[in-house]
Amino acid sequence: MLDANLKAQLKTYLEKVVQPIEIVASLDDSDKSRELQALLQEILLLSDRITLVERTDDEERKPSFSINRPGTDIGVRFAGIPLGHEFTSLVLALLQVGGHPIKLDDAVIEQIRNLDGDYTFETYISLSCQSCPEVVQALNVMSIINPRIRTVAIDGALFQTEVESRQIMAVPTMYLNGEVFGQGRSGVEEILAKLDSGAGARQAEQLNNKEVFDVLIVGGGPAGAAAAVYAARKGIRTGVLAERFGGQVLDTLSIENFVSVKETDGPHFAVALEQHVKSYEVDIMNLQRAESMVPGKLIEIKTASGAILKSKTVILATGARWREINVPGEQQYRNHGVAYCPHCDGPLFKGKRVAVIGGGNSGVEAAIDLAGIVGHVTLIEFGAELRADAVLQRKLRSLNNVTIHVSAQTTEIHGDGKKVNGLSYTDRVSGATKLVELEGVFVQIGLVPNTEWLKGTVALSRHGEIEIDAKGQTSIPGVFAAGDVTTVPFKQIVIAVGEGAKASLSAFDHLIRNSFDDEEAIAEVAVEAVAVAA
């Protein structure tokens, strides 16, 4: 199953294993079990520290397998064949169960180890989901650190009966001790915060004790990361407050237009951003949501945890999120048939009927991708014609399981109280109301800026974007903004990075011009900045 190059790479990784590993496979006579058996046999030949036990008489899901450290309670489990995006999760599990060091802060490791209670996690994933590996890898790591945490990653496309029984219509979906625990991307710290009830208060206390920053960047996406790098290189006290470091990039499947990087994906790009920022003295405060800003000589940012941070300058880089259609049924059936990521959730709708709302590039691309998985796609566009590139439209119209409706306004998403079963739209030409029976709705109508918390402080456009000048300055002195949250046209990663760098340079210029009373002090800071940059 693995090509020669991949086997060679995996063999090199497995040389880092220092503890014996026992793989216990639960198999039956299905084709998928034979596929899993073949994969595990190949892995077995790559390291003499690995043993394989095959079982057919147990009650585990089939096909599935556990990776254990013999003589201990340490182990993780996969139900399915972890290829695709989950192959990295498989490799890391082999390494970490095999004794390779876990890359977490000592304080986080200690917090996991001290969790009191028994936790059994079941995580439903799809192999095409770029958000799922973070959850799988986080829970795997936690279970290796604390054996009272047990975890299994379940391929929803393979265990369809189970998915339908639990009415799972979005991945990743986590169950804890038989109850829904969470949905969507989550890292170790996010999961830990939900398990450790006292963590929030402790973090708020730590934040309140922070010294005043020279520049505080709110947002950890490409714009925020670039701003942090440029500020840190000036030698000034820099902080990043992020709800999730990486921002919307984490939900991006493929990146092929970032100059000098021919091709990558969002999660890998986000990791690279964070590693670059961490190479400087930047105080990263992750998993913290800003709730309000109070301008003044020292600008205050208040967080949802109750903490207050103070800074001489602030750069707002909170980005944007998927725009919602705001019709009855959308919120009720979110993650129960209403989805926003076709790459993540598409496999859960295999053979079913779905709609895509939006006729721009993202909507048409989603419809094309889904057409290869689902039974039928209905694309609904508000305007009189599709707005996607011509090449995408040609591809879409060539597919025989796609229906296109233009001049169509979605008015309601219907369901049976548990999941989606239909959608209504109005024909804007005839005025007639139409009903489409289906099982899933994918919303692809663009982005909305994350600025609700800023209303009444900085000037916003009629679209809710932060208004800035050519230097990234907002309507408040000392407050700058960058990236998708601003009025700058063309929401692109490469543009956000440039805007973040520009806002940081503008903030530094503001500090020089406003923070000192005499020319000697200004000259001293300028000399220090040149030395750091060199």
Side-chain angles (χ1 to χ4, degrees):
M1 296 183 68
L2 304 179
D3 62 35
N5 184 49
L6 203 53
K7 286 182 182 178
Q9 292 181 32
L10 183 54
K11 183 177 177 63
T12 300
Y13 284 128
L14 292 177
E15 290 174 358
K16 300 176 182 179
V17 169
V18 296
Q19 299 279 352
I21 297 171
E22 180 184 64
I23 299 177
V24 180
S26 299
L27 306 170
D28 54 22
D29 60 356
S30 66
D31 289 340
K32 287 298 181 181
S33 280
R34 283 187 282 273
E35 285 183 37
L36 177 59
Q37 184 183 44
L39 173 64
L40 298 180
Q41 290 284 358
E42 289 183 356
I43 293 173
L44 178 65
L45 298 175
L46 299 178
S47 173
D48 57 7
R49 291 188 179 272
I50 298 177
T51 57
L52 175 62
V53 177
E54 297 180 3
R55 301 189 63 178
T56 59
D57 58 349
D58 58 7
E59 297 182 358
E60 297 288 351
R61 295 175 179 89
K62 294 181 176 61
S64 68
F65 66 99
S66 61
I67 303 173
N68 309 313
R69 185 180 300 171
T72 75
D73 293 328
I74 294 173
V76 302
R77 189 169 199 89
F78 293 91
I81 307 171
L83 297 175
H85 285 295
E86 292 300 339
F87 185 69
T88 300
S89 301
L90 169 60
V91 175
L92 287 173
L94 289 167
L95 290 175
Q96 291 161 350
V97 172
H100 191 66
I102 292 172
K103 294 182 179 180
L104 287 176
D105 292 339
D106 291 342
V108 174
I109 292 175
E110 192 63 21
Q111 189 179 358
I112 295 170
R113 189 174 286 126
N114 291 335
L115 283 173
D116 187 24
D118 295 302
Y119 307 90
T120 299
F121 283 96
E122 300 166 286
T123 304
Y124 291 88
I125 63 169
S126 72
L127 301 184
S128 60
C129 168
Q130 69 269 28
S131 299
C132 294
E134 182 176 1
V135 177
V136 172
Q137 292 164 24
L139 289 172
N140 285 351
V141 162
M142 293 176 70
S143 71
I144 292 168
I145 294 170
N146 183 344
R148 295 182 72 181
I149 300 172
R150 310 301 296 171
T151 181
V152 55
I154 306 161
D155 181 0
L158 190 56
F159 293 89
Q160 280 282 334
T161 302
E162 196 170 326
V163 164
E164 291 176 5
S165 173
R166 281 182 157 174
Q167 297 186 345
I168 295 168
M169 306 189 78
V171 290
T173 293
M174 290 177 281
Y175 276 74
L176 172 58
N177 297 337
E179 301 292 332
V180 175
F181 177 77
Q183 292 178 314
R185 178 184 293 274
S186 296
V188 169
E189 293 179 358
E190 292 166 283
I191 297 170
L192 192 53
K194 293 180 71 173
L195 296 177
D196 186 352
S197 58
R202 293 196 301 272
Q203 290 174 349
E205 183 179 358
Q206 292 172 357
L207 293 180
N208 279 327
N209 292 329
K210 299 280 186 183
E211 295 179 9
V212 173
F213 292 98
D214 291 312
V215 59
L216 176 61
I217 299 149
V218 185
V229 168
Y230 269 72
R233 286 177 61 83
K234 294 297 184 182
I236 57 179
R237 179 166 167 71
T238 303
V240 174
L241 186 77
E243 192 166 351
R244 58 170 188 164
F245 201 98
Q248 195 192 17
V249 163
L250 290 166
D251 302 321
T252 303
L253 181 64
S254 179
I255 300 172
E256 298 178 348
N257 56 0
F258 192 85
V259 181
S260 81
V261 180
K262 186 176 179 180
E263 182 179 2
T264 185
D265 59 50
H268 283 95
F269 189 81
V271 168
L273 288 177
E274 187 170 11
Q275 289 175 340
H276 194 175
V277 173
K278 284 183 174 179
S279 68
Y280 295 96
E281 292 186 9
V282 176
D283 189 345
I284 298 177
M285 296 157 282
N286 200 15
L287 307 181
Q288 297 293 327
R289 180 164 55 87
E291 278 204 337
S292 65
M293 179 175 68
V294 181
K297 185 174 181 181
L298 288 179
I299 303 158
E300 293 184 356
I301 298 292
K302 297 182 178 180
T303 72
S305 64
I308 297 177
L309 298 167
K310 298 180 180 180
S311 184
K312 298 172 185 176
T313 63
V314 165
I315 296 174
L316 303 170
T318 47
R321 63 187 184 277
W322 293 115
R323 186 180 298 276
E324 299 173 349
I325 51 177
N326 295 316
V327 300
E330 180 179 18
Q331 293 304 320
Q332 180 181 357
Y333 295 107
R334 189 184 183 107
N335 294 327
H336 295 279
V338 176
Y340 300 84
C341 180
H343 304 293
C344 298
D345 300 331
L348 299 178
F349 295 85
K350 184 177 180 181
K352 298 180 179 180
R353 300 162 298 177
V354 304
V356 173
I357 301 176
N361 280 351
S362 60
V364 172
E365 287 175 350
I368 292 170
D369 289 344
L370 288 167
I373 302 171
V374 304
H376 189 272
V377 178
T378 299
L379 186 140
I380 298 175
E381 162 58 26
F382 180 86
E385 58 185 25
L386 299 182
R387 294 168 287 109
D389 295 342
V391 64
L392 293 175
Q393 292 192 42
R394 286 195 296 272
K395 174 63 176 177
L396 181 70
R397 295 182 192 280
S398 73
L399 302 173
N400 59 15
N401 64 336
V402 175
T403 301
I404 301 170
H405 297 296
V406 296
S407 296
Q409 180 178 0
T410 304
T411 55
E412 186 173 357
I413 296 172
H414 306 286
D416 60 6
K418 295 181 178 180
K419 58 183 179 179
V420 167
N421 61 18
L423 174 151
S424 291
Y425 72 90
T426 298
D427 186 318
R428 297 177 57 237
V429 176
S430 68
T433 297
K434 306 289 182 69
L435 174 65
V436 181
E437 295 182 352
L438 42 72
E439 289 77 38
V441 178
F442 289 83
V443 181
Q444 299 282 289
I445 57 171
L447 304 171
V448 59
N450 296 315
T451 55
E452 289 84 357
W453 66 287
L454 292 168
K455 289 180 179 178
T457 54
V458 297
L460 304 177
S461 73
R462 64 187 181 91
H463 299 296
E465 299 166 321
I466 301 172
E467 295 182 346
I468 58 172
D469 64 14
K471 293 185 177 181
Q473 173 69 60
T474 71
S475 59
I476 300 175
V479 178
F480 303 84
D484 288 1
V485 76
T486 72
T487 50
V488 169
F490 310 120
K491 311 306 184 186
Q492 298 289 315
I493 295 172
V494 70
I495 293 174
V497 167
E499 290 293 307
K502 181 171 67 176
S504 190
L505 294 173
S506 297
F508 181 69
D509 182 68
H510 177 87
L511 286 170
I512 291 177
R513 295 177 184 278
N514 294 279
S515 298
F516 302 97
D517 296 324
D518 57 79
E519 294 182 0
E520 183 179 347
I522 294 174
E524 182 180 343
V525 171
V527 169
E528 290 179 0
V530 170
V532 171

